[in-house]
Amino acid sequence: MPWMPRALLACALVLSTPALAGDIAAGREAARQCMACHGLDGLARQPDAGNLAGQTEIYLREQLKAYRSGKRRHPQMNVIAQGLSDEQIEDLAAWYSAIEIEVRMPE
């Protein structure tokens, strides 16, 4: 079966990915510094800030690391991310990804 090698590779990648170790409670506490723009609930308060609620941990973690390294540029986020440890990034990603959002399609 031609799909079998790809399916096995996909399973191997999923199983070999390290478990995300973010602490949701610590992330909620750390998110207090994010409230002015992103809200504690992850819904943006500023027009140039993104909604973080319900994003995946992987996405949030990678974007924060990109801001920290300067790979992704934003005047405020680059400065804020510089002060975040890997553990704080994991915690923030755990917190914002744990927030459940509801989506309603327009009629």
Side-chain angles (χ1 to χ4, degrees), residues 38-90:
H38 297 287
L40 186 59
D41 61 0
L43 299 177
R45 303 296 192 260
Q46 301 296 323
D48 68 335
N51 289 326
L52 304 179
Q55 295 286 353
T56 67
E57 281 188 68
I58 293 168
Y59 174 79
L60 292 166
R61 181 180 61 243
E62 295 307 312
Q63 296 315 304
L64 282 170
K65 287 182 178 182
Y67 282 125
R68 186 174 65 183
S69 72
K71 182 177 179 183
R72 185 168 179 182
R73 305 290 305 158
H74 184 275
Q76 293 167 311
M77 284 304 303
N78 292 121
V79 172
I80 292 166
Q82 284 289 317
L84 296 175
S85 68
D86 285 342
E87 182 177 359
Q88 289 170 313
I89 287 174
E90 291 289 343

Side-chain angles (χ1 to χ4, degrees), residues 3-38:
W3 60 268
M4 186 65 97
R6 281 187 251 153
L8 289 174
L9 177 60
C11 287
L13 288 173
V14 168
L15 294 174
S16 67
T17 302
L20 302 176
D23 180 306
I24 292 173
R28 181 179 185 176
E29 188 61 34
R32 294 196 184 288
Q33 69 178 332
C34 312
M35 286 176 47
C37 297
H38 297 287

